[in-house]
Coordinates of all heavy atoms in Angstrom, one line a residue:
F1 N 69.7 75.6 95.6 CA 70.5 76.7 95.1 C 70.7 77.8 96.1 O 71.7 78.3 96.2 CB 69.9 77.2 93.8 CG 70.6 78.3 93.2 CD1 71.8 78.1 92.6 CD2 70.1 79.6 93.3 CE1 72.5 79.3 92.1 CE2 70.7 80.7 92.8 CZ 72.1 80.5 92.1
F2 N 69.6 78.2 96.7 CA 69.6 79.2 97.8 C 70.6 78.8 98.9 O 71.4 79.7 99.4 CB 68.2 79.5 98.4 CG 68.1 80.5 99.4 CD1 68.3 81.8 99.1 CD2 68.0 80.2 100.7 CE1 68.3 82.8 100.0 CE2 68.0 81.2 101.6 CZ 68.1 82.5 101.3
F3 N 70.6 77.5 99.4 CA 71.6 77.1 100.3 C 73.0 77.4 100.0 O 73.8 77.9 100.8 CB 71.3 75.7 100.7 CG 72.3 75.1 101.6 CD1 72.2 75.4 103.0 CD2 73.4 74.3 101.2 CE1 73.2 74.9 103.9 CE2 74.3 73.8 102.0 CZ 74.2 74.0 103.4
F4 N 73.4 77.1 98.7 CA 74.7 77.2 98.3 C 75.1 78.7 98.2 O 76.2 79.1 98.5 CB 75.0 76.5 97.0 CG 75.0 75.1 97.0 CD1 73.9 74.3 96.4 CD2 76.0 74.4 97.8 CE1 74.0 72.9 96.5 CE2 76.0 73.0 97.9 CZ 75.0 72.3 97.3
L5 N 74.2 79.5 97.7 CA 74.4 80.9 97.6 C 74.6 81.6 99.0 O 75.5 82.3 99.3 CB 73.1 81.7 97.0 CG 73.3 83.1 96.8 CD1 74.4 83.5 95.9 CD2 72.0 83.7 96.2
N6 N 73.8 81.1 100.0 CA 74.0 81.6 101.4 C 75.3 81.1 102.0 O 76.0 81.9 102.6 CB 72.9 80.9 102.2 CG 72.1 82.1 103.0 OD1 72.3 83.2 102.9 ND2 71.2 81.6 103.8
A7 N 75.7 80.0 101.7 CA 77.1 79.5 102.1 C 78.1 80.2 101.6 O 79.1 80.6 102.3 CB 77.2 78.0 101.8
C8 N 78.2 80.6 100.3 CA 79.1 81.4 99.7 C 79.2 82.7 100.3 O 80.3 83.3 100.5 CB 79.0 81.5 98.2 SG 79.3 80.0 97.3
Q9 N 78.1 83.4 100.6 CA 78.1 84.7 101.2 C 78.7 84.6 102.6 O 79.4 85.6 103.0 CB 76.7 85.2 101.2 CG 76.1 85.7 99.9 CD 74.7 86.1 100.0 OE1 74.0 85.8 100.9 NE2 74.2 86.9 99.0
S10 N 78.4 83.6 103.3 CA 78.9 83.4 104.7 C 80.4 83.3 104.7 O 81.1 83.9 105.4 CB 78.3 82.2 105.3 OG 78.8 82.0 106.6
V11 N 81.0 82.4 103.8 CA 82.5 82.3 103.6 C 83.1 83.7 103.2 O 84.1 84.1 103.8 CB 82.8 81.2 102.6 CG1 84.2 81.2 102.3 CG2 82.4 79.8 103.1
S12 N 82.5 84.3 102.3 CA 83.0 85.6 101.8 C 83.0 86.6 102.9 O 84.0 87.3 103.1 CB 82.2 86.2 100.6 OG 82.6 87.4 100.2
Q13 N 82.0 86.6 103.8 CA 81.9 87.5 104.9 C 83.0 87.2 105.9 O 83.7 88.1 106.5 CB 80.5 87.5 105.5 CG 80.3 88.5 106.8 CD 78.9 88.3 107.3 OE1 78.1 87.5 106.9 NE2 78.7 89.1 108.3
K14 N 83.2 85.9 106.2 CA 84.3 85.5 107.2 C 85.6 85.9 106.6 O 86.5 86.4 107.4 CB 84.2 84.1 107.4 CG 83.0 83.7 108.3 CD 83.0 82.2 108.6 CE 81.8 81.9 109.5 NZ 81.8 80.6 110.0
I15 N 85.9 85.7 105.3 CA 87.2 86.2 104.8 C 87.4 87.7 104.9 O 88.5 88.1 105.3 CB 87.3 85.7 103.3 CG1 87.4 84.2 103.3 CG2 88.5 86.4 102.6 CD1 87.4 83.6 101.9
D16 N 86.3 88.5 104.6 CA 86.4 89.9 104.7 C 86.7 90.3 106.1 O 87.5 91.2 106.3 CB 85.1 90.6 104.2 CG 84.9 90.5 102.7 OD1 85.9 90.2 102.0 OD2 83.7 90.7 102.3
E17 N 86.2 89.7 107.1 CA 86.3 89.9 108.6 C 87.8 89.6 108.9 O 88.4 90.4 109.6 CB 85.4 89.2 109.4 CG 83.9 89.7 109.3 CD 83.0 88.7 110.1 OE1 83.4 87.7 110.6 OE2 81.8 89.0 110.1
K18 N 88.3 88.5 108.5 CA 89.7 88.1 108.7 C 90.7 89.1 108.0 O 91.7 89.5 108.7 CB 90.0 86.8 108.2 CG 89.3 85.7 109.0 CD 89.9 85.4 110.3 CE 89.3 84.2 111.0 NZ 89.8 84.0 112.4
M19 N 90.4 89.6 106.9 CA 91.2 90.5 106.2 C 91.3 91.9 106.9 O 92.3 92.5 107.1 CB 90.8 90.7 104.7 CG 91.2 89.4 103.8 SD 90.6 89.4 102.2 CE 91.8 90.7 101.6
E20 N 90.1 92.3 107.5 CA 90.0 93.4 108.2 C 90.8 93.4 109.4 O 91.5 94.4 109.8 CB 88.5 93.8 108.4 CG 88.3 95.1 109.1 CD 86.9 95.4 109.2 OE1 86.0 95.2 108.3 OE2 86.4 95.9 110.4
A21 N 90.7 92.3 110.1 CA 91.5 92.2 111.3 C 93.0 92.1 111.0 O 93.8 92.7 111.8 CB 91.1 90.8 112.0
E22 N 93.4 91.5 110.0 CA 94.8 91.5 109.5 C 95.3 92.9 109.3 O 96.4 93.3 109.7 CB 94.9 90.7 108.3 CG 96.3 90.8 107.6 CD 97.4 89.8 108.2 OE1 97.1 89.1 109.2 OE2 98.4 89.9 107.7
E23 N 94.5 93.7 108.5 CA 95.0 95.1 108.3 C 95.0 95.9 109.5 O 96.0 96.6 109.7 CB 94.0 95.7 107.3 CG 94.4 97.0 106.8 CD 93.8 97.6 105.6 OE1 93.5 96.7 104.7 OE2 93.6 98.8 105.4
K24 N 94.1 95.7 110.4 CA 94.2 96.5 111.6 C 95.4 96.1 112.6 O 96.1 96.9 113.1 CB 92.9 96.1 112.5 CG 92.7 96.9 113.8 CD 91.4 96.6 114.4 CE 91.3 97.4 115.7 NZ 90.0 97.1 116.4
A25 N 95.7 94.8 112.5 CA 96.9 94.3 113.3 C 98.2 94.8 112.7 O 99.1 95.3 113.3 CB 97.0 92.8 113.3
L26 N 98.3 94.8 111.3 CA 99.5 95.3 110.6 C 99.7 96.8 110.8 O 100.8 97.3 110.7 CB 99.5 94.8 109.2 CG 99.7 93.4 109.0 CD1 99.7 93.0 107.4 CD2 100.9 92.8 109.7
S27 N 98.5 97.5 110.8 CA 98.6 99.0 110.8 C 99.3 99.5 112.2 O 99.8 100.5 112.2 CB 97.2 99.6 110.6 OG 96.4 99.3 111.7
K28 N 99.3 98.6 113.2 CA 99.9 98.9 114.5 C 101.3 99.0 114.3 O 102.0 99.5 115.2 CB 99.4 98.0 115.5 CG 98.0 98.0 115.9 CD 97.7 97.0 117.0 CE 96.1 97.1 117.3 NZ 95.8 96.2 118.2
W29 N 101.9 98.4 113.2 CA 103.4 98.4 113.0 C 103.9 99.7 112.4 O 105.1 100.0 112.4 CB 103.7 97.2 112.2 CG 103.7 95.9 112.9 CD1 102.8 95.1 113.0 CD2 104.8 95.6 113.8 NE1 103.2 94.1 113.8 CE2 104.4 94.4 114.3 CE3 106.1 96.1 114.3 CZ2 105.1 93.7 115.2 CZ3 106.7 95.4 115.1 CH2 106.3 94.1 115.6
L30 N 103.0 100.6 111.9 CA 103.4 101.8 111.3 C 104.1 102.7 112.3 O 103.8 102.8 113.4 CB 102.2 102.6 110.7 CG 101.5 101.9 109.5 CD1 100.2 102.7 109.1 CD2 102.5 101.9 108.3
N31 N 105.3 103.2 111.8 CA 106.3 104.1 112.6 C 107.0 103.3 113.7 O 107.7 103.9 114.4 CB 105.4 105.3 113.2 CG 104.9 106.2 112.2 OD1 105.6 106.5 111.2 ND2 103.6 106.5 112.3
K32 N 106.9 102.0 113.7 CA 107.7 101.2 114.6 C 109.1 101.0 113.9 O 109.2 101.2 112.7 CB 107.1 99.8 114.9 CG 105.7 99.8 115.5 CD 105.8 100.1 117.0 CE 104.3 100.0 117.5 NZ 104.2 100.1 118.9
S33 N 110.1 100.6 114.7 CA 111.4 100.4 114.2 C 111.6 99.0 113.5 O 110.9 98.1 113.7 CB 112.4 100.5 115.2 OG 112.4 99.4 116.1
E34 N 112.5 99.0 112.6 CA 113.0 97.7 112.0 C 113.4 96.7 113.0 O 112.9 95.5 112.8 CB 114.1 98.0 110.9 CG 114.8 96.8 110.4 CD 116.1 97.2 109.7 OE1 116.6 98.3 110.0 OE2 116.5 96.4 108.9
S35 N 114.1 97.1 114.1 CA 114.5 96.1 115.0 C 113.3 95.5 115.8 O 113.4 94.4 116.1 CB 115.5 96.7 116.0 OG 114.9 97.8 116.7
Q36 N 112.2 96.3 116.1 CA 111.0 95.8 116.7 C 110.4 94.8 115.8 O 109.9 93.7 116.2 CB 110.0 96.9 117.0 CG 110.5 97.8 118.2 CD 109.6 99.0 118.2 OE1 109.4 99.8 117.4 NE2 109.0 99.1 119.5
L37 N 110.4 95.0 114.5 CA 109.8 94.1 113.6 C 110.5 92.8 113.6 O 110.0 91.7 113.6 CB 109.7 94.7 112.2 CG 109.1 93.8 111.1 CD1 107.7 93.7 111.2 CD2 109.4 94.5 109.7
K38 N 111.8 92.8 113.5 CA 112.7 91.7 113.4 C 112.5 90.9 114.8 O 112.6 89.7 114.8 CB 114.1 92.1 113.2 CG 114.4 92.4 111.8 CD 115.9 92.7 111.6 CE 116.4 92.8 110.2 NZ 117.8 93.1 110.1
F39 N 112.4 91.6 115.9 CA 112.3 90.9 117.2 C 111.0 90.1 117.1 O 110.9 89.0 117.7 CB 112.2 91.9 118.3 CG 112.2 91.3 119.7 CD1 113.4 90.7 120.2 CD2 111.0 91.2 120.4 CE1 113.2 90.1 121.5 CE2 110.9 90.6 121.6 CZ 112.0 90.1 122.1
S40 N 109.9 90.7 116.6 CA 108.6 89.9 116.6 C 108.5 88.9 115.5 O 108.0 87.8 115.7 CB 107.5 90.9 116.6 OG 107.3 91.7 117.7
F41 N 108.9 89.2 114.3 CA 108.6 88.3 113.2 C 109.9 87.5 112.7 O 109.8 86.6 112.0 CB 108.3 89.2 111.9 CG 106.9 89.6 111.9 CD1 106.3 90.7 112.7 CD2 105.9 88.9 111.1 CE1 105.0 91.0 112.7 CE2 104.6 89.3 111.1 CZ 104.1 90.3 111.8
G42 N 111.1 87.9 113.3 CA 112.2 87.2 113.0 C 112.9 87.8 111.7 O 112.4 88.8 111.2
R43 N 113.8 87.1 111.2 CA 114.5 87.6 109.9 C 113.5 87.4 108.8 O 112.8 86.4 108.7 CB 115.8 86.8 109.7 CG 116.9 87.1 110.7 CD 118.1 86.3 110.4 NE 118.5 86.5 109.0 CZ 119.5 85.8 108.4 NH1 120.0 84.8 109.0 NH2 119.8 86.1 107.2
P44 N 113.4 88.4 107.9 CA 112.6 88.2 106.7 C 113.0 87.1 105.8 O 114.2 86.9 105.7 CB 112.6 89.7 106.0 CG 113.9 90.2 106.5 CD 114.2 89.7 107.9
D45 N 112.0 86.6 105.0 CA 112.3 85.6 104.1 C 113.0 86.2 102.8 O 113.7 85.6 102.2 CB 111.0 84.8 103.7 CG 110.5 84.1 104.9 OD1 111.1 83.2 105.4 OD2 109.3 84.4 105.2
K46 N 112.7 87.5 102.5 CA 113.2 88.2 101.4 C 113.3 89.6 101.8 O 112.6 90.2 102.6 CB 112.3 88.1 100.1 CG 112.1 86.8 99.5 CD 111.5 87.0 98.2 CE 110.4 85.9 98.0 NZ 109.6 86.2 96.8
I47 N 114.2 90.3 101.2 CA 114.5 91.8 101.3 C 114.5 92.2 99.8 O 115.4 91.8 99.1 CB 115.7 92.1 102.1 CG1 115.6 91.6 103.5 CG2 115.8 93.6 102.1 CD1 116.9 91.9 104.3
E48 N 113.7 93.1 99.5 CA 113.7 93.7 98.1 C 113.9 95.2 98.2 O 113.6 95.9 99.1 CB 112.3 93.4 97.5 CG 112.1 91.9 97.1 CD 110.9 91.7 96.4 OE1 110.1 92.6 96.1 OE2 110.7 90.5 96.0
F49 N 114.4 95.6 97.0 CA 114.7 97.1 96.8 C 113.9 97.5 95.5 O 114.3 96.9 94.5 CB 116.1 97.4 96.7 CG 116.8 97.1 98.1 CD1 117.4 95.9 98.3 CD2 117.0 98.0 99.0 CE1 118.2 95.6 99.5 CE2 117.6 97.7 100.3 CZ 118.3 96.5 100.4
K50 N 113.2 98.6 95.5 CA 112.5 99.0 94.3 C 113.3 100.0 93.6 O 114.1 100.7 94.2 CB 111.1 99.5 94.6 CG 110.2 98.7 95.4 CD 109.6 97.5 94.6 CE 108.8 96.7 95.6 NZ 107.9 95.8 95.0
E51 N 113.3 100.0 92.3 CA 114.1 101.1 91.5 C 113.9 102.4 91.9 O 114.9 103.1 92.0 CB 113.8 100.8 90.0 CG 114.5 99.6 89.4 CD 114.3 99.7 87.9 OE1 114.3 100.7 87.3 OE2 114.0 98.5 87.4
N52 N 112.7 102.8 92.0 CA 112.4 104.3 92.3 C 112.3 104.7 93.8 O 111.7 105.7 94.1 CB 111.1 104.7 91.5 CG 111.2 104.5 90.0 OD1 112.3 104.6 89.5 ND2 110.1 104.2 89.4
S53 N 112.7 103.8 94.6 CA 112.6 104.0 96.1 C 113.9 103.6 96.7 O 114.6 102.7 96.4 CB 111.5 103.2 96.6 OG 111.3 103.3 98.1
R54 N 114.2 104.4 97.8 CA 115.3 104.0 98.6 C 114.9 103.2 99.8 O 115.7 102.8 100.6 CB 116.0 105.3 99.2 CG 116.7 106.1 98.0 CD 117.3 107.3 98.6 NE 118.2 107.9 97.6 CZ 119.0 108.9 97.8 NH1 118.9 109.5 99.0 NH2 119.8 109.4 97.0
N55 N 113.7 102.9 99.9 CA 113.1 102.1 100.9 C 113.4 100.6 100.8 O 113.6 100.2 99.6 CB 111.6 102.4 101.2 CG 111.3 103.7 101.5 OD1 112.2 104.5 102.1 ND2 110.1 104.1 101.6
R56 N 113.4 99.9 101.8 CA 113.6 98.4 101.8 C 112.2 97.8 102.0 O 111.3 98.3 102.7 CB 114.6 97.9 102.9 CG 115.9 98.4 102.8 CD 116.9 98.0 103.9 NE 116.4 98.2 105.3 CZ 116.4 99.3 105.9 NH1 116.7 100.5 105.3 NH2 116.0 99.4 107.2
F57 N 112.1 96.6 101.4 CA 110.8 95.8 101.7 C 111.1 94.5 102.2 O 111.8 93.7 101.6 CB 110.1 95.7 100.3 CG 109.6 97.0 99.7 CD1 110.5 97.8 99.0 CD2 108.4 97.5 99.9 CE1 110.1 99.1 98.5 CE2 107.9 98.7 99.5 CZ 108.9 99.5 98.7
Y58 N 110.7 94.2 103.5 CA 110.9 93.0 104.2 C 109.6 92.1 103.9 O 108.6 92.5 104.2 CB 111.0 93.2 105.6 CG 112.4 93.7 106.2 CD1 113.3 94.3 105.2 CD2 112.8 93.7 107.4 CE1 114.5 94.7 105.6 CE2 114.0 94.1 107.8 CZ 114.9 94.6 106.9 OH 116.1 95.1 107.3
I59 N 109.9 91.0 103.4 CA 108.8 90.1 103.0 C 108.9 88.8 103.9 O 109.9 88.1 104.0 CB 108.9 89.6 101.5 CG1 108.8 91.0 100.7 CG2 107.8 88.6 101.2 CD1 109.2 90.8 99.2
Y60 N 107.8 88.5 104.5 CA 107.6 87.3 105.4 C 106.6 86.5 104.7 O 105.5 86.8 104.4 CB 107.2 87.8 106.8 CG 108.2 88.5 107.5 CD1 108.2 89.9 107.4 CD2 109.1 87.9 108.3 CE1 109.2 90.7 108.2 CE2 110.1 88.7 109.0 CZ 110.0 90.0 108.9 OH 111.0 90.7 109.6
I61 N 107.0 85.2 104.5 CA 106.1 84.2 103.9 C 105.8 83.0 104.8 O 106.7 82.5 105.5 CB 106.8 83.6 102.7 CG1 107.0 84.8 101.6 CG2 105.9 82.5 102.0 CD1 107.9 84.4 100.5
K62 N 104.6 82.6 105.0 CA 104.1 81.6 105.8 C 103.1 80.8 105.1 O 102.2 81.4 104.4 CB 103.6 82.2 107.1 CG 103.2 81.3 108.2 CD 102.9 81.9 109.5 CE 101.5 82.3 109.6 NZ 101.1 82.8 110.9
E63 N 103.2 79.5 105.2 CA 102.2 78.7 104.5 C 101.3 77.9 105.5 O 101.9 77.4 106.5 CB 102.9 77.6 103.6 CG 102.0 76.9 102.7 CD 102.7 76.2 101.6 OE1 103.7 76.6 101.1 OE2 102.2 75.1 101.3
K64 N 100.0 78.0 105.3 CA 99.1 77.4 106.2 C 98.0 76.8 105.3 O 97.4 77.4 104.5 CB 98.4 78.4 107.1 CG 97.5 77.9 108.1 CD 97.0 79.1 109.0 CE 96.1 78.6 110.1 NZ 95.6 79.6 111.0
L65 N 97.8 75.5 105.5 CA 96.7 74.7 104.8 C 97.0 74.9 103.2 O 96.0 75.1 102.5 CB 95.4 75.2 105.2 CG 95.0 75.0 106.6 CD1 93.5 75.6 106.8 CD2 95.0 73.5 107.0
K66 N 98.2 74.8 102.8 CA 98.6 74.9 101.4 C 98.4 76.4 100.8 O 98.4 76.6 99.6 CB 98.0 73.9 100.5 CG 98.2 72.4 100.9 CD 99.4 72.1 100.4 CE 99.6 70.5 100.7 NZ 100.9 70.0 100.3
I67 N 98.0 77.3 101.7 CA 97.9 78.7 101.2 C 99.1 79.5 101.6 O 99.4 79.5 102.9 CB 96.5 79.2 101.7 CG1 95.3 78.5 101.3 CG2 96.3 80.7 101.4 CD1 94.1 78.9 101.8
K68 N 99.6 80.2 100.8 CA 100.8 80.9 101.0 C 100.5 82.4 101.4 O 99.9 83.1 100.7 CB 101.8 81.0 99.8 CG 103.2 81.6 100.1 CD 104.1 81.3 99.0 CE 104.2 82.3 98.0 NZ 105.2 82.2 97.0
C69 N 100.8 82.7 102.6 CA 100.5 84.1 103.2 C 101.8 84.9 103.1 O 102.8 84.4 103.4 CB 100.2 83.9 104.7 SG 100.2 85.4 105.6
E70 N 101.6 86.1 102.5 CA 102.8 87.0 102.3 C 102.5 88.3 102.9 O 101.6 88.9 102.5 CB 103.1 87.0 100.8 CG 104.3 87.8 100.5 CD 104.6 87.7 99.0 OE1 104.8 86.6 98.5 OE2 104.6 88.8 98.4
R71 N 103.4 88.7 103.9 CA 103.3 90.0 104.5 C 104.6 90.8 104.1 O 105.6 90.4 104.2 CB 103.3 89.9 106.0 CG 102.0 89.4 106.5 CD 102.0 89.3 108.0 NE 100.7 88.8 108.5 CZ 100.6 87.5 109.0 NH1 101.6 86.8 109.1 NH2 99.4 87.1 109.4
T72 N 104.3 92.1 103.6 CA 105.4 92.9 103.2 C 105.4 94.2 104.0 O 104.4 94.8 104.2 CB 105.3 93.3 101.6 OG1 105.2 92.0 101.0 CG2 106.5 94.1 101.2
F73 N 106.5 94.6 104.5 CA 106.7 95.8 105.3 C 107.7 96.8 104.6 O 108.7 96.3 104.3 CB 107.1 95.5 106.7 CG 106.2 94.8 107.6 CD1 106.3 93.3 107.6 CD2 105.2 95.4 108.3 CE1 105.4 92.6 108.3 CE2 104.3 94.6 109.1 CZ 104.4 93.3 109.0
E74 N 107.3 98.0 104.4 CA 108.2 98.9 103.8 C 108.8 99.7 105.0 O 108.3 100.2 105.8 CB 107.4 99.9 102.9 CG 108.2 100.9 102.2 CD 107.4 101.7 101.3 OE1 106.2 101.6 101.2 OE2 108.0 102.7 100.7
I75 N 110.2 99.8 104.8 CA 111.0 100.4 105.8 C 111.8 101.6 105.2 O 112.5 101.3 104.1 CB 112.0 99.4 106.5 CG1 111.1 98.3 107.1 CG2 112.8 100.0 107.5 CD1 111.8 97.1 107.5
N76 N 111.7 102.8 105.7 CA 112.5 103.9 105.2 C 113.9 103.9 105.5 O 114.4 103.1 106.4 CB 111.7 105.2 105.5 CG 111.7 105.6 106.9 OD1 112.4 105.0 107.8 ND2 110.8 106.5 107.2
Q77 N 114.6 105.0 105.2 CA 116.0 105.1 105.5 C 116.3 105.4 107.0 O 117.4 105.2 107.5 CB 116.6 106.3 104.7 CG 116.7 106.0 103.2 CD 117.2 107.2 102.5 OE1 117.1 108.2 102.8 NE2 117.7 106.8 101.2
K78 N 115.2 105.8 107.7 CA 115.3 106.1 109.1 C 115.0 104.8 109.9 O 114.8 104.8 111.1 CB 114.4 107.1 109.6 CG 114.9 108.5 109.0 CD 114.0 109.6 109.4 CE 114.3 110.9 108.8 NZ 113.5 112.0 109.2
N79 N 114.9 103.7 109.2 CA 114.6 102.3 109.8 C 113.2 102.3 110.5 O 113.1 101.6 111.5 CB 115.7 101.9 110.8 CG 117.0 101.7 110.0 OD1 117.0 101.2 109.0 ND2 118.1 102.0 110.7
K80 N 112.3 103.0 110.0 CA 110.9 103.0 110.5 C 110.0 102.4 109.5 O 110.2 102.5 108.2 CB 110.4 104.5 110.8 CG 111.2 105.1 111.8 CD 110.9 104.6 113.2 CE 111.6 105.3 114.3 NZ 111.4 104.8 115.6
I81 N 109.0 101.6 109.9 CA 108.0 101.1 109.0 C 107.1 102.2 108.5 O 106.4 102.8 109.4 CB 107.3 99.9 109.8 CG1 108.3 98.8 110.1 CG2 106.2 99.3 108.8 CD1 107.7 97.8 111.1
V82 N 106.9 102.3 107.2 CA 106.1 103.3 106.6 C 105.0 102.8 105.8 O 104.1 103.5 105.2 CB 106.9 104.3 105.8 CG1 107.9 105.1 106.7 CG2 107.7 103.6 104.7
G83 N 105.0 101.5 105.6 CA 103.9 100.9 104.9 C 103.9 99.3 105.0 O 104.8 98.8 105.5
F84 N 102.8 98.7 104.6 CA 102.6 97.3 104.6 C 101.7 96.8 103.6 O 100.9 97.5 103.1 CB 102.2 96.8 106.1 CG 100.8 97.4 106.4 CD1 99.7 96.6 106.0 CD2 100.7 98.4 107.0 CE1 98.4 97.0 106.3 CE2 99.4 99.0 107.5 CZ 98.3 98.2 107.1
A85 N 101.7 95.5 103.3 CA 100.8 94.9 102.4 C 100.6 93.4 102.9 O 101.6 92.9 103.5 CB 101.3 94.9 101.0
S86 N 99.5 92.9 102.6 CA 99.3 91.5 103.1 C 98.5 90.7 102.0 O 97.6 91.3 101.3 CB 98.4 91.5 104.3 OG 98.1 90.2 104.8
K87 N 98.9 89.6 101.7 CA 98.3 88.8 100.6 C 98.0 87.4 101.1 O 98.9 86.7 101.6 CB 99.3 88.7 99.4 CG 98.7 88.0 98.2 CD 99.7 88.1 97.1 CE 99.3 87.2 95.9 NZ 100.3 87.1 94.9
N88 N 96.7 87.0 101.0 CA 96.3 85.6 101.4 C 96.5 85.3 102.9 O 96.7 84.2 103.3 CB 96.9 84.6 100.6 CG 96.6 84.6 99.2 OD1 95.5 85.1 98.8 ND2 97.6 84.3 98.3
C89 N 96.6 86.3 103.8 CA 96.8 86.1 105.2 C 95.4 86.2 105.9 O 95.0 87.3 106.4 CB 97.8 87.1 105.8 SG 99.4 87.0 105.0
F90 N 94.6 85.2 105.9 CA 93.4 85.3 106.7 C 93.2 84.0 107.4 O 93.9 83.0 107.4 CB 92.3 85.5 105.7 CG 92.2 84.7 104.4 CD1 91.7 83.4 104.4 CD2 92.8 85.3 103.3 CE1 91.8 82.7 103.3 CE2 92.8 84.6 102.1 CZ 92.3 83.3 102.0

């Protein structure tokens, strides 16, 4: 039992480390231009507009080992990245 508990903690720690690295990498995109994002990531898979916001949300989806990674970048009216989110990207 102790072995399995240790293994789960190890996997959880590795996932936390990957998520931290992902957030650090994406935070470098803040205040960059929309054109720089498109140059590096290509055309987004989806573009969404929220009701209470004039900002655009570029969504990039990538699948790896049957796990769907979704990265969302929020772009303001001045075409600058002002936010991001990442789901299952580790």
Side-chain angles (χ1 to χ4, degrees):
F1 176 76
F2 180 72
F3 173 75
F4 290 115
L5 182 62
N6 234 6
C8 288
Q9 287 176 340
S10 178
V11 168
S12 179
Q13 182 180 2
K14 287 183 181 189
I15 289 173
D16 289 344
E17 288 171 2
K18 292 284 188 182
M19 289 177 67
E20 186 177 314
E22 170 80 1
E23 187 162 327
K24 187 177 179 180
L26 293 181
S27 68
K28 292 178 182 178
W29 283 100
L30 292 173
N31 296 313
K32 301 278 182 172
S33 72
E34 170 190 17
S35 59
Q36 288 174 301
L37 179 68
K38 283 182 174 181
F39 183 78
S40 289
F41 279 79
R43 290 180 54 193
D45 296 300
K46 291 190 223 174
I47 300 174
E48 292 184 354
F49 298 89
K50 307 284 177 165
E51 279 186 41
N52 299 331
S53 175
R54 292 182 166 182
N55 294 348
R56 300 179 305 284
F57 295 84
Y58 282 14
I59 301 168
Y60 293 89
I61 300 170
K62 187 168 88 174
E63 194 168 318
K64 184 177 181 182
L65 301 174
K66 301 279 184 184
I67 298 172
K68 188 165 92 172
C69 163
E70 187 173 297
R71 291 183 179 105
T72 304
F73 294 91
E74 182 177 0
I75 300 169
N76 67 12
Q77 292 177 335
K78 295 179 182 179
N79 296 324
K80 296 289 183 183
I81 299 168
V82 295
F84 64 87
S86 177
K87 181 179 174 184
N88 296 328
C89 300
F90 45 83

